[in-house]
Amino acid sequence: MFQSHGQRGHRVIAGRGLPVAQSRRSGVGGRVRAVLPTRSDWQAARARPLRDVAAGVSVAVVALPLALAYGQSSGMGARAGLATAVV
């Protein structure tokens, strides 16, 4: 893969944004941990909870009517559309 130098001079694998050392962790568990939020990410989310609420409301405003319409247009009904939105 193509490697470039990112911030602070770390080598970065193109397209992933992960430092090379992190991308070479052994097994799937290391890769999953590299993607999951860290403790500092959670602390930042707790500092501004209104951003999460606004994101949830905006997704609901778009996704729920779309799911209802999908259920109706497929002939399965609105309940089936809502079930697909939940899943």
Side-chain angles (χ1 to χ4, degrees):
M1 283 189 208
F2 176 75
Q3 295 180 359
S4 64
H5 292 282
Q7 296 175 351
R8 298 183 189 166
H10 290 81
R11 290 186 320 172
V12 175
I13 294 178
R16 294 190 183 184
L18 296 174
V20 174
Q22 287 182 355
S23 66
R24 292 187 182 161
R25 288 183 179 170
S26 62
V28 176
R31 291 181 185 153
V32 170
R33 274 186 249 115
V35 178
L36 292 176
T38 62
R39 183 174 294 186
S40 63
D41 294 332
W42 286 110
Q43 289 171 348
R46 286 188 202 142
R48 296 195 175 124
L50 288 179
R51 286 185 179 182
D52 289 336
V53 171
V57 168
S58 64
V59 167
V61 165
V62 173
L64 290 178
L66 185 63
L68 290 170
Y70 179 69
Q72 288 291 337
S73 65
S74 67
M76 297 296 291
R79 286 186 183 177
L82 286 176
T84 62
V86 171
V87 173

